[in-house]
Structures are given as structure tokens and as C-alpha cells.
Amino acid sequence: MSKIKMHLLVCGGTGCKASQSDQIVENLNAELQAHGLEDEAKVVLTGCFGFCEQGPIVKIIPDNTFYTQVKPEDAKEIIEEHIIKGRKVHRLLYVDPVQKESVSDSKHMGFYKKHIRIALRNCGFLDPENIDESIARDAYLALGKALTEMTPDEVIDEIKKSGLRGRGGGGFPTGLKWEFAAKNAADQKYVVCNADEGDPGAFMDRSVLEGDPHTVLEAMAICGYTMGADKGLIYIRAEYQLAIHRLKIAIKQAMDYGLLGDDILGTGFNFNIELRYGAGAFVCGEETALIHSMEGDRGEPTVKPPFPAESGYLGKPTNVNNVETFASVPVILLKGADWFSSIGTKKSKGTKVFALAGKINNVGLIEVPMGITLREVIYEIGGGIKNGKKFKAVQTGGPSGGCLTEEHLDTPIDFDNLLAAGSMMGSGGMIVMDEDDCMVSIAKFFLEFTVEESCGKCSPCRVGNKRLYEILVKITEGKGTMEDLDLLKNLCEVIKDTSLCGLGQSSPNPVLSTLNNFWDEYVEHVTEKKCRAGQCTALKKYIIDEEACVGCTACARVCPVNAISG
């Protein structure tokens, strides 16, 4: 019988590993051994806790003490003071920025108060490289229920009833998508997990795979059961080495336990999963481009129909869902569709994971119910704007989304409301901007990304976005005209209406939303040759105060471009 009385959970997500969490684990274990406590306390490297701003994080169980910004050299004090003497290390506790008081339990932190964790339910709570810990938290229980107690149609009906919509950006009803694939007869079918997360500032799917890979494997097998597929493929960026490493371990462990492979749980159902690697092309987040990439062709989208459910990978019926969508499936089967649909709004059920980044105090990964407002996310969860600056805008939906303003702060976050406001849900990136950001430069930044990532197959995206970017460069260099602003608007509408895939159709959103919400900034750049945020260097002017100048000529002597005269 185990004598372990305490667990020290150490964040092992990519961000914390980059801040030496591996060394923290090594030092904690060394200190436990030095004091002969290795049989009473155990150090566990987990997935992401979410509160990235305060990482690396060490959480002590069972008293739920939450240590933040831990360094390797803190290990000795944590063991000697907390584990041995039972005294909290107060200097490592989180300090509430409003109350100015230390908080030892994450339950009482503003960052976590409004979270409802479904997709992230196990991240930070278990060792993702140990299948036994996953099983202890109900992994593969939903698969067992589906295989032994439900028909494929009953599983699909439960997913449809739950109201789950695709979390990759499109928001298509998941159960309906599964049903389409199930109805198309074929000798071979495929389940594909889209883990090609490429939005700037987004790390939702990667964190799920790093922290709880088994939930995705289980959901893929459930999907395979409903549509009659025995093969699963995970398309993941080759640069996501930690997620790949943990997926490989999870697949092997599931195979060894008979939870993947042939005759799963003695039911006669077979399902195997392989990894396929992407080279980092943003357009391969679109399902047809992703499928072509897996087939060894250029990652270019094709006109639909036929949809992948009819003719996908190798021309066979294929279902494609992203990581977060799959991560919600096992919980729906275990807790019921009614439970899931009780969370969220009328047309957007459940929760959504967002990567909260930018000029905000609490950068991190959050999972909140659909319908929560932007104000709640930014000020209650995010802790407000850094350095007391004024909020200016928030970009939702990544490069394909729009920039929303202060007047949108009370907008409930769901698929329809964000579209109505001129943005979109996207896969879940959320970048906050303050008064020091230039919205013309922001639009230019996202257009530069889109131009770089366009596959070039269709002219509206390949050429049109290049022209949009050139006009924005012209404006930020002080060479723009009012006619350029009219041209921007017209070109945006043409690109939206005529592009082949979602990348091109949504690429003008950052430009259109900033034109609509920050028109005065564009006009200032054009008519006054002025950037109020001071970000457009070509529009900066430096003037010597004549009253303060003593005529020493020291500045003129050192000016590298001889710009000073008189």
C-alpha cells in the first residue's frame, strides 16, 4: 500500500519547461531524497495549469497550496519549510493585485474563479505520461460506455443533443458532422484530429495534448465507432515536440492496455491511431488543405462539395475535428448531453478555451462558459491592462478575426455575437491591446502574416492580400491618401466574396474591423501624417526645444545622419 501523503505537482507545459520546470522537478526530488522523504512525498510533472503569467507553478496536494514563479533554487525551501515543517513559503504565494494579499489556494484567485474546465479538466492534475493516472480520472470510461451500452446512432444523437459545435473556428455542429460521415458507406473511413494550431499567440490545442493526450485518443476512438472507421490520424505541427512526445507515449500505453488497437475491450471494435506531421503552414488548418498535406501533396484547399465526410483522405469518408472539440466528447457521454447543454448560450453550448495574451496582467490559458462577456475575461480573469494603461482593443479569432473596442466589452462571447460585432470565435486566440498600440500597424501585422501563409492557389487571396498589405505599408509610411482608404474597403469586400477558402474569406477582417472601429486613426495617418501611438516610425518627428537649447552643437556633432542644422 502506498505511503505517499503529499504530491508536488509541477507545471510541465511548454512555457514552464522553458522556465526550468524540469530543473525544479530534479531539485525537488533531490531534496526529498536528501531528507529520506521519497516514500512520503511524490513530485509529478503535469500539463499546463493555465496561469502562464505566474509560471513555473508548483501546487502541493492535498492542502492545495499554489506556489508561483518558482525557481530551481526554491526547491530546498519548499521541502524544508512546507513538506517537513508544514509552513507555507509566503514569498512564493500569489499576491492578489487588488487586495494586495497573498492567496494560497487557486480557488480563491480571480484568474480561476470563472473557469469551467471541460476540455482542460485534467490539465495540471495528472502526469500526462502515466496512463494509470488518466484512468483514475475516468479516461476511456466513455469509450467503454459507448462500445458496451450504446449503438453508434445513440452516441451521435447524444453529441447532437449536447449542442457541441466545432472549436476550430467554423462552429459546425459536431454531431451532424459525425452523422454525415457515418451515412457514407465505404470500405475504409478515417478520423482526423486537426492539431495544426497556427494562430499567433494561440496555444490551446497544444496544451490539451501536452496535459491530457488520452482524452483526445479516447474521443477519436468514439468517433471512429460512430462512423465505422478503424483508423485515426493526428495531424500535428512538427515543431510541437513536447505534444508529439506525449502523444507517442499515450498511444503506446493505450495499445498496451487494449484501449486502442484490435478488439478493444473485447468488443470486436478495432481502432488504431498514427501521427502525421505538418511543416507549419497556417492554411493547413483548413480541413481540405490538411488532408492534401497528409496525402503528400501541397497544402491547398479545394472547393466543397464534396466535403471530407464524402470524399476526404485518400478519397474516403473522413471526419475532421480539432483537439478541443474532441476533448469535450468523453465528458458529454459520461455526464450527459443535458448537462453540457445547460452551460453556455442558446446557440453556443458548453465552454471555450482561450489563449489570453497581449497587454494584460494575467496572460494564460482559460476555459470559460460561452456567453461570458469580454469585460469579465479582460478585467476579472485577466486582471486588467498592464501598467495601468487604458484598454484600446481586443483581437479575437486570430489573424482571421477582428479588433473589438471598449463599446464591445459587454458583448457575450459566442459564435454569433462575435460575428455580429465584426470578429469571430476562431480557434480561441485573444490578444489584448492598450493605448500604446497603433491599430493601422496591428492590421498591417496580421495582413503580413496572412500574405506569408497564403497557399497562393486563388488570385483574390494571393494577389488581393498582397495589395492590401502594400496599401497599409504606404499608409504607415505617411504616403497614404483618402483614396487609399476607399480602395482598402472595396478590396476587402472583393477578397471576402471571392476567395476559395476560409483563410482568404476571413483575411480582411482585421482591416475591416479597424477601419470601422478606428477610422479616425486611419484618417490621422493619411491627412496629418501622424501616429498617435507613436508606433509608425516613419511618422515620428523629433524637434529640439529652442528655449532649452544652449547652442553647444553637441547633438549635431554626434548625429549619424546630419539631421540637425541651425
Side-chain angles (χ1 to χ4, degrees):
M1 186 174 180
S2 175
K3 298 179 182 178
I4 301 293
K5 299 176 182 177
M6 303 186 83
H7 287 81
L8 293 82
L9 308 182
V10 182
C11 177
T14 296
C16 286
K17 283 177 90 63
S19 298
Q20 296 185 287
S21 63
D22 284 339
Q23 189 61 52
I24 293 170
V25 169
E26 188 175 319
N27 289 6
L28 287 170
N29 279 322
E31 290 296 328
L32 287 175
Q33 291 174 4
H35 293 88
L37 296 171
E38 61 268 32
D39 293 331
E40 297 182 39
K42 182 181 179 182
V43 181
V44 179
L45 190 66
T46 71
C48 178
F49 281 87
F51 206 169
C52 306
E53 183 76 27
Q54 297 295 322
I57 289 166
V58 176
K59 185 174 182 178
I60 313 294
I61 300 294
D63 60 16
N64 287 322
T65 301
F66 197 88
Y67 290 131
T68 60
Q69 297 183 349
V70 179
K71 297 179 176 60
E73 54 267 29
D74 296 324
K76 182 178 178 66
E77 189 174 358
I78 291 173
I79 299 301
E80 292 183 350
E81 288 296 309
H82 192 128
I83 305 302
I84 296 176
K85 299 178 182 177
R87 300 192 297 222
K88 289 181 172 62
V89 183
H90 285 276
R91 67 179 183 83
L92 296 177
L93 295 177
Y94 173 69
V95 178
D96 186 281
V98 178
Q99 304 296 331
K100 306 299 181 185
E101 295 177 351
S102 296
V103 182
S104 63
D105 191 332
S106 58
K107 292 179 181 178
H108 301 125
M109 295 178 186
F111 179 80
Y112 287 107
K113 279 185 178 178
K114 300 207 168 185
H115 284 215
I116 297 179
R117 293 167 72 95
I118 295 177
L120 299 177
R121 63 193 177 279
N122 292 325
C123 294
F125 290 96
L126 53 78
D127 178 356
E129 298 182 18
N130 185 338
I131 191 173
D132 293 331
E133 293 194 15
S134 295
I135 290 173
R137 290 183 65 89
D138 296 338
Y140 298 101
L141 200 59
L143 175 60
K145 179 180 179 180
L147 294 180
T148 60
E149 300 177 22
M150 304 173 75
T151 65
D153 287 343
E154 287 173 340
V155 176
I156 289 174
D157 287 342
E158 193 73 3
I159 301 301
K160 287 170 65 176
K161 186 179 174 184
S162 73
L164 176 66
R165 295 172 64 176
R167 298 304 197 243
F172 192 82
T174 304
L176 205 55
K177 203 173 192 181
W178 289 17
E179 186 176 55
F180 291 156
K183 287 182 176 178
N184 286 307
D187 58 343
Q188 179 68 59
K189 296 183 181 182
Y190 296 94
V191 176
V192 174
C193 175
N194 180 357
D196 188 65
E197 186 174 50
D199 291 15
F203 49 98
M204 299 80 59
D205 291 350
R206 183 174 63 183
S207 293
V208 172
L209 294 175
E210 290 174 356
D212 188 19
H214 287 286
T215 195
V216 176
L217 304 184
E218 178 182 15
M220 290 178 69
I222 292 170
C223 178
Y225 171 66
T226 65
M227 59 181 277
D230 63 2
K231 189 71 173 289
L233 303 167
I234 300 176
Y235 184 81
I236 184 168
R237 293 193 163 212
E239 67 233 50
Y240 293 167
Q241 286 298 304
L242 181 59
I244 290 170
H245 170 72
R246 290 179 175 168
L247 275 171
K248 286 180 176 178
I249 291 173
I251 291 170
K252 183 181 184 307
Q253 290 175 339
M255 294 283 289
D256 291 343
Y257 275 54
L259 299 168
L260 285 179
D262 296 335
D263 193 25
I264 296 173
L265 298 175
T267 62
F269 173 63
N270 306 327
F271 195 77
N272 291 279
I273 294 177
E274 295 179 5
L275 302 184
R276 297 293 171 84
Y277 305 117
F282 181 65
V283 72
C284 288
E286 197 277 337
E287 58 183 8
T288 60
L290 179 155
I291 288 169
H292 291 147
S293 176
M294 289 199 305
E295 291 173 336
D297 296 326
R298 282 175 58 88
E300 295 179 334
T302 50
V303 177
K304 294 179 281 190
F307 291 91
E310 181 183 350
S311 177
Y313 181 67
L314 302 179
K316 303 296 184 179
T318 303
N319 179 81
V320 183
N321 287 124
N322 86 320
V323 171
E324 186 184 341
T325 310
F326 277 128
S328 299
V329 168
V331 196
I332 291 172
L333 292 191
L334 291 180
K335 293 193 174 185
D338 292 339
W339 170 82
F340 186 84
S341 63
S342 69
I343 303 166
T345 62
K346 185 177 181 180
K347 294 183 178 180
S348 300
K349 303 297 185 182
T351 60
K352 181 72 188 81
V353 180
F354 291 99
L356 193 57
K359 306 287 187 64
I360 195 160
N361 283 312
N362 296 337
V363 170
L365 200 65
I366 66 173
E367 185 170 7
V368 291
M370 294 279 198
I372 194 171
T373 65
L374 287 167
R375 188 182 303 278
E376 290 174 278
V377 169
I378 293 168
Y379 288 97
E380 296 183 37
I381 297 174
I385 311 303
K386 274 187 180 294
N387 304 316
K389 296 280 187 175
K390 185 179 179 182
F391 168 82
K392 188 169 188 178
V394 57
Q395 166 88 359
T396 68
S400 305
C403 296
L404 304 180
T405 67
E406 196 166 11
E407 68 181 57
H408 299 107
L409 284 177
D410 294 312
T411 299
I413 300 172
D414 64 16
F415 290 102
D416 302 316
N417 282 320
L418 288 179
L419 280 175
S423 187
M424 62 188 295
M425 181 80 73
S427 59
M430 190 177 287
I431 302 175
V432 179
M433 288 157 267
D434 68 10
E435 59 193 280
D436 293 335
D437 285 301
C438 168
M439 302 315 295
V440 185
S441 288
I442 291 293
K444 185 182 74 170
F445 166 79
F446 284 113
L447 253 294
E448 183 178 19
F449 177 85
T450 304
V451 168
E452 177 70 24
E453 294 296 334
S454 172
C455 73
K457 185 173 184 178
C458 70
S459 297
C461 181
R462 182 183 71 249
V463 181
N465 281 316
K466 180 70 173 176
R467 298 290 87 85
L468 278 183
Y469 175 69
E470 289 170 350
I471 295 170
L472 290 169
V473 170
K474 183 180 175 183
I475 292 171
T476 56
E477 290 179 348
K479 301 172 185 176
T481 65
M482 291 301 293
E483 289 74 18
D484 287 325
L485 300 188
D486 292 333
L487 182 57
L488 271 181
K489 283 187 176 180
N490 292 334
L491 191 51
C492 282
E493 296 299 340
V494 171
I495 294 169
K496 282 177 70 74
D497 292 342
T498 58
S499 289
L500 175 62
C501 79
L503 185 147
Q505 292 161 11
S506 59
S507 59
N509 285 345
V511 182
L512 284 172
S513 63
T514 51
L515 279 169
N516 292 334
N517 297 323
F518 299 95
W519 174 254
D520 54 337
E521 282 197 40
Y522 278 87
V523 173
E524 274 183 358
H525 279 68
V526 168
T527 60
E528 300 178 36
K529 311 303 178 186
K530 172 186 174 184
C531 175
R532 66 177 69 174
Q535 295 298 315
C536 300
T537 54
L539 302 184
K540 285 185 177 180
K541 294 180 180 179
Y542 298 92
I543 300 172
I544 296 174
D545 187 343
E546 293 184 10
E547 294 183 6
C549 179
V550 297
C552 68
T553 72
C555 58
R557 290 197 300 271
V558 297
C559 179
V561 291
N562 299 316
I564 300 169
S565 62

